[in-house]
Amino acid sequence: MSTHDSLLKLAAVLESRKGGDPDKSYAARLFSKGDDAILKKIGEEATEVVMAAKDARHGGGDGDGAKLVGEVADLWFHTLVLLAHFDLGPDAVIAELERREGLSGLEEKARRPQ
């Protein structure tokens, strides 16, 4: 299964959790709490990614990057929840990344509306 397929599969599962029982699904619980709760969780996960990267940089943690990978997976998951909350999916992000392909990061940033 490709990365794209994995993201689409997860997005479909998340979509199916909208309006679900918050007592039976973590994603349904997040959806039921609204975007502020989802955004808070993304902030927490982003901080955990930063801390895991700092640990890895200084030779701490598990030594094989598993902690960092796990934290990034948590962050990706929660950003997919946010996208689903706004009726978007990973295809929109992939399309945007493809649109940027071949542009330098500085050039792409300069083209953004202020």
Side-chain angles (χ1 to χ4, degrees):
M1 182 181 309
S2 74
T3 302
H4 186 246
D5 291 339
S6 295
L7 290 173
L8 292 178
K9 183 177 176 183
L10 178 54
V13 169
L14 291 173
E15 193 64 34
S16 76
R17 299 297 197 263
K18 285 180 167 181
D21 184 346
D23 293 329
K24 295 184 179 178
S25 165
Y26 174 70
R29 187 176 312 146
L30 285 172
F31 287 129
S32 73
K33 291 181 178 181
D35 58 2
D36 282 340
I38 298 167
L39 292 168
K40 180 180 176 189
K41 193 64 185 168
I42 289 171
E44 291 170 8
E45 297 301 339
T47 300
E48 291 173 9
V49 167
V50 170
M51 299 310 295
K54 287 180 171 279
D55 286 347
R57 178 180 66 195
H58 294 294
D62 50 34
D64 65 358
K67 173 107 173 117
L68 178 57
V69 169
E71 295 300 346
V72 170
D74 290 346
L75 179 59
W76 284 18
F77 173 84
H78 289 90
T79 57
L80 287 171
V81 170
L82 181 67
L83 287 171
H85 178 76
F86 287 105
D87 297 321
L88 296 165
D91 276 346
V93 177
I94 291 168
E96 176 62 14
L97 291 171
E98 288 172 349
R99 183 192 68 77
R100 295 178 185 187
E101 189 174 343
L103 292 176
S104 79
L106 296 175
E107 180 182 359
E108 190 282 324
K109 188 172 181 178
R111 289 183 180 189
R112 291 182 196 171
Q114 298 299 322

